[in-house]
Amino acid sequence: MDIKFTDRTPLERYHLLVQSVIPRPVAWILTADEDGSVNLAPYSFFAPVCSAPPTLVVSVGQKSAGIEKDSYRNLRRSGWCVVNIADAAQVDAVNMSSATLAAGISETQAFDIGVAPVEDWPLPRVAASPVAFLCRYQQQVDLGSGPQHVVFLEIERMYIDEGVIDPAAERLLLSSELINPIARLGGTEYASLGQRTQRSRPE
């Protein structure tokens, strides 16, 4: 089957992309509303894109035509966010936090998701997540008529649960098995890493 994207609606293209570009890591992004309450939402159009400066990219759409998502609005106002990497045990919490809640209601309170303060940082992190990136807004590129905001986040600091660090390694090595991150597939599907293989890089 040869599909021309010009013949498909944006929604049809979206479903084709999320069912074929798999698995996708999940950025569980924590921001703060104007009243100080915590907003937490998952995004799977997400990746690291640079190490100098250390940068993540996340693509953020709108709630509906002309109405920005809370994460984006908060990020643009304050300039700060925490990108949490959830493990497989948090899949239900991640899924629930994608719900559309009334203004002023925090996902962390509505779904009993614990957060932990971070010293010298304006926002907490998700307490049970093994990895968290403390980021500031860097820049963005807007695509399409929506528009879709492709947001670049510069990493200022990184939290790592010591339990996911390989104690036998000579350098700082994180165990993918112990991090056990969840990944997004299409539709209602999520996945964990499953079987792993190793290959040495060729000379």
Side-chain angles (χ1 to χ4, degrees):
M1 178 181 289
D2 184 1
I3 297 174
K4 292 183 179 179
F5 268 34
T6 52
D7 295 337
R8 301 287 175 155
T9 67
L11 183 60
E12 288 174 327
R13 296 172 203 159
Y14 170 81
H15 286 304
L16 288 169
L17 286 171
V18 299
Q19 292 177 92
S20 57
V21 182
I22 53 175
R24 299 186 310 282
V26 178
W28 208 9
I29 299 181
L30 186 148
T31 58
D33 293 331
E34 288 181 286
D35 63 3
S37 61
V38 167
N39 180 270
L40 184 63
Y43 295 87
S44 67
F45 280 17
F46 158 68
V49 291
C50 187
S51 60
T55 306
L56 305 173
V57 66
V58 60
S59 182
V60 183
Q62 296 182 325
K63 286 183 178 181
S64 57
I67 301 177
E68 301 290 3
K69 290 188 175 180
D70 297 335
S71 301
Y72 175 76
R73 191 185 67 251
N74 293 339
L75 179 60
R76 287 308 313 266
R77 187 190 68 256
S78 72
W80 305 104
C81 72
V82 176
V83 178
N84 301 274
I85 304 298
D87 64 22
Q90 296 175 290
V91 64
D92 289 330
V94 168
N95 185 57
M96 290 301 294
S97 69
S98 67
T100 301
L101 302 181
I105 298 179
S106 170
E107 290 81 4
T108 59
Q109 294 180 344
F111 306 120
D112 195 26
I113 301 168
V115 297
V118 179
E119 185 176 358
D120 298 325
W121 192 258
L123 299 170
R125 59 178 177 82
V126 174
S129 291
V131 173
F133 298 99
L134 315 182
C135 303
R136 66 177 178 83
Y137 174 91
Q138 185 192 88
Q139 60 182 301
Q140 73 182 59
V141 176
D142 288 346
L143 299 175
S145 58
Q148 189 84 9
H149 306 300
V150 181
V151 181
F152 294 85
L153 304 170
E154 185 164 344
I155 304 167
E156 297 279 346
R157 293 161 57 188
M158 180 180 179
Y159 165 82
I160 305 170
D161 185 326
E162 292 187 5
V164 303
I165 298 173
D166 185 342
E170 294 181 3
R171 63 181 176 86
L172 182 58
L173 183 64
L174 307 187
S175 166
S176 60
E177 184 175 6
L178 293 175
I179 292 175
N180 195 23
I182 59 169
R184 195 72 174 92
L185 305 177
T188 60
E189 292 184 311
Y190 291 84
S192 55
L193 291 183
Q195 183 178 351
R196 299 159 177 79
T197 61
Q198 294 188 21
R199 298 289 186 277
S200 297
R201 184 170 178 164
E203 298 294 334

